[in-house]
Amino acid sequence: RRDRGGRAVVEAVGTLRQGRRPGRTGAATAVEVGPADLALDRCLPVLPAFDGLIPGAGLRRGTTVAVSAAPGVAGTTSLALALAAGASQAGSWVAAVGVGSLGLVAAAELGVALERLVVVADPGRDREGWASVMAALVDGFDVVLVAALGRLRPADARRLVARVRERGAVLVAVGGDLAGQRSPLHLTVTTTRW
C-alpha cells in the first residue's frame, strides 16, 4: 500500500526480530520502503551488451521502447529480441505480436528463453482486433514486442501506452514509435554485419 507521500509501505505480520518491542509477539510491524529501494523492482534486466546504451539498471517498467533501423538497414527484430532476452532469462514472460520476421532459432541464439516466449503471428487486419489483442498481452506479459506500424489508430495507441504504464509492462515497438506516440527510449540500428 502507499502512504500519503506516495511511498510504498510494506506490512509484515508475525514476530520480527528487528523493530519488535520486548514482550510482544505476533505484532504487526511496518517497514517504509523509499523510491530508491523500489527502483530495481521497476526495471527488467537487459543483457550486458546494453549496459552503456540504456539509462538506469535496465528496461523501466511502464514504458515503451521504439526500435527502428536506418534506411536500407535490417535488424530491428533482432535488436528487439536482444532487448527482451535479459528479462526472459531472469524469468519474465515475453510476447511478440505481428512480428512476421521472428525466427525462434534466432530468438534462442540472441538469448531469449523460448519457454517464456509467446508468439502471436498476426491478429488480423481489423484495427480494433489489434487493440484488443495488445491490451490482453500487456495485461499478462512483462515485455511485449509489437510490429504495429499503421495497424493502431493514434487513440488506440494512447490507450495502449496508458495501459502499459498502469500494468508495469514494457512495450517494444518494432519498426518505430506507435502512431502519435514518442517513446522515452529510441534505439536505431545503423549497421549490421554477419
Side-chain angles (χ1 to χ4, degrees), residues 113-194:
L114 294 182
E115 65 273 10
R116 296 197 166 274
L117 174 66
V118 173
V119 178
V120 179
D122 187 5
R125 297 188 183 271
D126 180 26
R127 287 183 173 196
E128 292 174 9
W130 266 84
S132 299
V133 168
M134 291 302 304
L137 292 174
V138 166
D139 286 351
F141 291 84
D142 299 306
V143 180
V144 178
L145 311 178
V146 59
L149 288 179
R151 303 226 176 136
L152 288 175
R153 295 180 299 235
D156 292 332
R158 264 191 316 277
R159 283 191 290 276
L160 181 61
V161 170
R163 191 177 205 109
V164 166
R165 265 193 312 270
E166 178 185 311
R167 301 290 197 257
V170 174
L171 181 72
V172 180
V174 181
D177 287 313
L178 296 176
Q181 300 298 305
R182 293 268 311 152
S183 297
L185 179 60
H186 195 118
L187 300 175
T188 302
V189 180
T190 56
T191 61
T192 57
R193 67 174 181 252
W194 288 92

Side-chain angles (χ1 to χ4, degrees), residues 1-183:
R1 72 180 169 84
R2 297 205 178 266
D3 68 1
R4 291 184 184 169
R7 294 175 299 228
V9 177
V10 180
E11 293 183 7
V13 179
T15 305
L16 299 175
R17 293 178 189 233
Q18 296 176 340
R20 187 179 68 163
R21 293 185 190 159
R24 292 188 62 182
T25 59
T29 303
V31 179
E32 187 176 314
V33 180
D37 299 325
L38 296 176
L40 291 177
D41 290 340
R42 299 288 307 158
C43 287
L44 295 174
V46 292
L47 296 176
F50 292 105
D51 287 345
L53 293 174
I54 297 178
L59 297 173
R60 203 164 39 111
R61 288 183 175 272
T63 62
T64 60
V65 178
V67 175
S68 63
V73 178
T76 56
T77 302
S78 296
L79 179 56
L81 287 169
L83 273 174
S88 73
Q89 289 174 7
S92 292
W93 283 89
V94 177
V97 59
V99 186
S101 61
L102 188 144
L104 295 179
V105 173
E109 288 176 355
L110 288 167
V112 175
L114 294 182
E115 65 273 10
R116 296 197 166 274
L117 174 66
V118 173
V119 178
V120 179
D122 187 5
R125 297 188 183 271
D126 180 26
R127 287 183 173 196
E128 292 174 9
W130 266 84
S132 299
V133 168
M134 291 302 304
L137 292 174
V138 166
D139 286 351
F141 291 84
D142 299 306
V143 180
V144 178
L145 311 178
V146 59
L149 288 179
R151 303 226 176 136
L152 288 175
R153 295 180 299 235
D156 292 332
R158 264 191 316 277
R159 283 191 290 276
L160 181 61
V161 170
R163 191 177 205 109
V164 166
R165 265 193 312 270
E166 178 185 311
R167 301 290 197 257
V170 174
L171 181 72
V172 180
V174 181
D177 287 313
L178 296 176
Q181 300 298 305
R182 293 268 311 152
S183 297

